[in-house]
Each structure stands twice: as C-alpha cells, then as structure tokens.
Amino acid sequence: MKKSSVVLLISDIAAIPVLFMLEKLSDLMLSQPKECPMVTLGGKCVTCGGTHFVNSLLNFRLGEAFSHNQFLFVLSVFLLISFVLLNLYLLFGFKRVKTVLQKLYSIPSLVIWLSAMLIFFLVRNIPLFELIIKQIF
C-alpha cells in the first residue's frame, strides 16, 4: 500500500469524529440566543445561514439544508463527489479519475466557483430573488 493511500485512509477515518464535533458545535451555536446585525437590518447573514446549513446537513435534513443555503448545498455535493473520486484514485489507482480531478480543480473551474459564490452572496439579499426562491421551493 502506498504512503498516500495510508494517509488518505487515516484522514477518512479521522473525518468521522470531526463531523460529530461539527454537529454538536452547530447545535450549541444555534441554542445560544443572539441578535445578528445583518438579520436586524433585514438581510441574510452568511454565518447564520451557514450554521443552520451545517446543522441541517449533519442531521440529514437535506431539504432544510438546501433552503438555508443553496450555494453551500451544491458546493458540498461537489466536494463529496470530489472526495469519492480522490479515494478511488489514491486507493485503487484509476487513471481516468486523475484526469477528471485535474479538470475539476483547474484554475478556470476555481474561478467559476468563486464567481458563482460572489454572485450568490450578493444576489441572495435582493428581496425579489428571495420571493422567487420561495415560490419555487
């Protein structure tokens, strides 16, 4: 077994307690009453939506997670697929997977993701966009 495969296997196993800790931390953060300045001004706070998203996702409430933050939901699916592909490549040596990963993490791909994130976080505070999303979902 290659050294990179052993490191990947250890990181896969170590990710499990980290997910449990994240779930407990998000529960703790959501149980603390606080007033967010963004929400007070009528906008949507990035961190509040992210915390609710993480909590819903880790409790397998996928619809609720999607409603809290659509961009993070799509990004987490992308990262999950990337994680599976990376495991397939490093553990089993599939050469085609390496090509796919190189395309997924190329500079143009990362520019597209960053641009989409910026546009999403700007547009999501526009009331018309919020009304359209509520009508669809």
Side-chain angles (χ1 to χ4, degrees), residues 7 13 26 29-30 35 40 42 48 61 74 80 87-88 94 102-103 111 115 123:
V7 170
I13 293 168
S26 64
M29 289 174 71
L30 292 174
E35 286 297 319
T40 306
C48 293
R61 297 187 305 259
V74 171
L80 180 65
N87 276 290
L88 286 174
F94 294 149
Q102 287 173 336
K103 288 181 182 176
V111 168
S115 301
V123 170

Side-chain angles (χ1 to χ4, degrees), residues 35-46 48 121-131 134:
E35 286 297 319
C36 176
M38 261 314 260
V39 174
T40 306
L41 294 173
K44 287 189 174 182
C45 177
V46 176
C48 293
F121 287 127
L122 291 175
V123 170
R124 76 182 254 160
N125 280 320
I126 297 173
L128 179 63
F129 179 72
E130 185 176 331
L131 288 174
K134 284 183 180 179

